[in-house]
Amino acid sequence: MAEKTVRTRFAPSPTGYMHVGGVRTALFAWLLARQGSGEFLLRFEDTDRQRHIGDAEKHIIESLEWLGLEWDNREIYRQSEKLSNYGEWAEKLIESGRAYVDITSEQERAEQRNNANQQKKVFQYKDHRPENSPAWTGHQLLRFKSEPRDCTWTDEVMGELSAPAETIDDFVLMKSDGFPTYDFAHIVDDHQMGITHVMRSQEFASSIPKYLNLYEALQIERPKLALLPYVLAPDGKKKLSKRDGAKDALQYKQEGYLPEAMINFLATLGWNDGTEQEIFSREELIEKFSLSRVQKSGAHFDEHRLLWLNGHYIRQLQLDELYKRSRGFWPKSAAGSPAEYQKKVLALVQERLKHLSELPSLTNFFFEDLPVDLKLIDGSKQLKGLGRGQQAGLLRTSLERLSQNDFTESNLSEALNKLLKETGQKPAVLFSLIRIATTWAPASPGLADTLALLGKEKSLKHIDTSLRALEE
């Protein structure tokens, strides 16, 4: 029999913004579909109306589009728009004797739980099924009538798994508000959408046995199941959460992370191809990805590695492409400056950029005169051993020699090297002093490059202003 065309889905609940765990699930599903020339579908599981957040869907869509995880047919399936469909499947279970209306009151349920506790038993719904279930009208609690048995199944990531019969209990299919539960709706949807592989977090492991029971009751073929390991906090002791610094996906976009870096980072968060390779193009990931290489243990979220990857991808970009992507990240003072000048500035700082939101702090002195701040000199390890008189003397000599220079990059480098010999200072001392006096910024590119781009007039003016500040 010919193998089915791979069809995967990403099925988030719009109850919050996209976090890295959700994005990784989407990415793995997308990679598997693209590898098999299959289809990747988007479905919003929006039946929990109490927790529904209005703009969460928009946020999720924008996150997927930013990362280039396009879904096929550009159609979006929303469970809230298919309520009659779930009602029809619920009726099938009622007709086959596998579902019943639960009209137990809260007080009765509390008494049942209390009795179970007194008898030191685990409370289970299947022990309290009604003898005569009323007819279902569509707005009553409808519960699945399980047939518990020991079960064993193969997970595409975790391998052979099993669960004893006592872990399987009756569960809610349809709520009294007419909406299906996740436990019911996703199984119906996956079947009707022809999903071949279902990927989700390993926190769903305990629910799989009851899903297998429901597949059997509905007489539908189950897809291949893949439980993905947790994304762990940096300490490796718990799931990553907001309290551990987890951000929503679009926050990384706003901070100037590149989608290529985020894709590379998330793909290797719990997966590797069996080699030491760390940098993967999108095409390589599609070619090499496999569920068999997804690790069973949790993957540590290392933002330092993400930062390193992002810097790598920034350095690989052509200048024009980097300039295009840097739009919106420049300091306000850059507004109105010529594009060619901005590109020259960008070329100088490209090697230093780790994310695009660093642009203002790395480049603002190219567009405006920053105020003199002697604390930068006093806080410098290289300069704090020098007194004001010695600092001023070095700057005075530098000003005199540089005023005779034409400020081409090669001539500046030569002049700076001569200054080192003349003053007997180390580069870390002299160059740091000239750099601070010229820019009054915490960091800047190479000194000769910076002076050449600032130009002779502005550079000498800044050094002169700094010299007078030191002499005062």
Side-chain angles (χ1 to χ4, degrees):
M1 182 183 292
E3 186 113 1
K4 286 184 178 180
T5 300
V6 171
R7 183 177 261 204
T8 66
R9 47 69 161 178
F10 179 52
S13 297
T15 55
Y17 297 147
M18 279 273 276
H19 54 81
V20 291
V23 177
R24 189 190 63 170
T25 299
L27 173 61
F28 283 10
W30 183 86
L31 288 172
L32 191 67
R34 291 294 171 262
Q35 184 183 68
S37 299
E39 290 185 289
F40 172 69
L41 305 178
L42 176 61
R43 180 175 78 223
F44 283 107
E45 300 189 333
D46 58 349
T47 61
D48 190 343
R49 306 311 291 177
Q50 292 184 339
R51 296 177 60 223
H52 186 270
I53 295 178
D55 60 349
E57 183 176 311
K58 178 182 177 183
H59 182 279
I60 292 169
I61 289 173
E62 188 176 343
S63 299
L64 294 176
E65 290 178 337
W66 169 54
L67 293 169
L69 303 182
E70 70 282 355
W71 55 97
D72 292 290
N73 301 325
R74 300 306 293 176
E75 293 180 6
I76 301 175
Y77 187 107
R78 295 178 180 85
Q79 291 180 332
S80 60
E81 297 172 354
K82 312 287 183 180
L83 296 185
S84 61
N85 181 51
Y86 306 117
E88 293 172 5
W89 282 86
E91 292 285 1
K92 293 180 182 179
L93 289 171
I94 293 172
E95 292 172 5
S96 63
R98 297 302 301 274
Y100 59 92
V101 175
D102 187 344
I103 57 173
T104 308
S105 68
E106 291 184 14
Q107 182 178 349
E108 289 172 325
R109 192 65 77 199
E111 291 175 358
Q112 292 168 355
R113 291 182 184 278
N114 186 49
N115 290 336
N117 289 335
Q118 290 180 351
Q119 298 174 40
K120 297 183 179 181
K121 292 182 178 180
V122 176
F123 171 82
Q124 291 195 310
Y125 292 99
K126 64 188 179 187
D127 296 331
H128 304 280
R129 294 169 182 165
E131 293 183 7
N132 296 301
S133 176
W136 185 57
T137 63
H139 281 81
Q140 301 146 293
L141 200 69
L142 188 69
R143 197 176 290 276
F144 177 61
K145 186 178 181 180
S146 63
E147 291 184 357
R149 62 174 67 90
D150 294 347
C151 61
T152 302
W153 72 99
T154 301
D155 184 87
E156 300 300 305
V157 173
M158 300 296 173
E160 293 296 314
L161 299 175
S162 61
E166 54 266 27
T167 62
I168 301 174
D169 193 14
D170 296 355
F171 58 92
V172 176
L173 300 170
M174 300 291 292
K175 295 173 287 185
S176 57
D177 62 3
F179 282 79
T181 60
Y182 165 81
D183 292 337
F184 180 41
H186 87 273
I187 287 181
V188 171
D189 292 334
D190 288 341
H191 171 67
Q192 293 188 312
M193 297 171 77
I195 302 301
T196 60
H197 296 72
V198 172
M199 297 180 211
R200 55 191 151 210
S201 170
Q202 68 182 70
E203 65 190 72
F204 285 92
S206 61
S207 297
I208 300 300
K210 66 182 181 182
Y211 297 159
L212 298 179
N213 213 243
L214 184 53
Y215 282 121
E216 185 179 280
L218 291 171
Q219 297 182 333
I220 59 178
E221 181 183 357
R222 70 169 175 84
K224 293 182 178 181
L225 306 177
L227 293 168
L228 304 181
Y230 290 127
V231 176
L232 301 175
D235 62 8
K237 296 179 180 178
K238 58 182 177 178
K239 278 180 61 180
L240 183 69
S241 69
K242 291 181 179 179
R243 283 176 290 183
D244 303 303
K247 307 168 187 174
D248 71 62
L250 290 184
Q251 193 171 344
Y252 287 102
K253 177 185 179 183
Q254 292 157 6
E255 291 179 2
Y257 285 83
L258 304 186
E260 300 96 317
M262 183 59 76
I263 289 290
N264 194 151
F265 174 72
L266 291 176
T268 52
L269 200 59
W271 170 87
N272 70 77
D273 68 341
T275 72
E276 297 298 316
Q277 183 174 344
E278 291 194 75
I279 307 297
F280 293 88
S281 68
R282 191 173 296 242
E283 292 70 28
E284 285 179 308
L285 288 172
I286 292 173
E287 177 187 351
K288 296 185 175 186
F289 180 77
S290 70
L291 288 172
S292 64
R293 295 294 312 179
V294 176
Q295 67 189 39
K296 298 179 182 180
S297 57
H300 294 200
F301 184 84
D302 183 357
E303 196 162 76
H304 294 294
R305 182 170 178 273
L306 173 58
L307 199 62
W308 172 79
L309 279 169
N310 202 58
H312 167 82
Y313 278 97
I314 285 176
R315 292 189 292 275
Q316 302 307 306
L317 292 178
Q318 294 294 319
L319 184 59
D320 284 344
E321 178 63 20
L322 179 58
Y323 179 68
K324 177 182 175 183
R325 298 202 195 192
S326 67
R327 192 174 295 123
F329 289 98
W330 289 94
K332 292 180 180 179
S333 53
S337 62
E340 286 308 308
Y341 181 70
Q342 290 186 12
K343 287 182 181 180
K344 289 178 181 179
V345 172
L346 195 57
L348 286 188
V349 301
Q350 184 171 6
E351 285 294 318
R352 290 170 171 262
L353 275 176
K354 294 184 290 295
H355 49 81
L356 298 180
S357 58
E358 290 181 313
L359 263 180
S361 62
L362 289 177
T363 67
N364 56 354
F365 63 88
F366 282 110
F367 304 99
E368 61 179 310
D369 294 343
L370 299 183
V372 173
D373 183 2
L374 295 180
K375 291 179 181 178
L376 288 174
I377 289 179
D378 297 337
S380 169
K381 291 181 180 179
Q382 294 84 4
L383 301 175
K384 64 182 180 181
L386 302 180
R388 285 283 186 262
Q390 193 174 4
Q391 293 167 359
L394 288 172
L395 269 191
R396 192 178 300 107
T397 301
S398 300
L399 181 61
E400 291 172 357
R401 300 297 178 266
L402 291 175
S403 63
Q404 301 167 18
N405 198 278
D406 65 0
F407 269 64
T408 59
E409 187 181 327
S410 57
N411 287 340
L412 278 169
S413 295
E414 184 180 349
L416 290 170
N417 287 327
K418 287 182 178 179
L419 270 171
L420 289 175
K421 293 180 180 179
E422 182 178 346
T423 60
Q425 290 292 340
K426 297 178 180 179
V429 175
L430 182 63
F431 291 176
S432 293
L433 181 61
I434 298 173
R435 184 195 67 75
I436 293 175
T438 308
T439 65
W440 290 108
S444 65
L447 182 55
D449 295 334
T450 299
L451 293 172
L453 187 53
L454 282 172
K456 184 173 183 177
E457 180 180 352
K458 183 178 287 189
S459 296
L460 296 180
K461 174 187 172 186
H462 287 182
I463 295 175
D464 182 60
T465 301
S466 302
L467 175 58
R468 283 189 276 110
L470 286 174
E471 290 175 335
E472 290 175 359

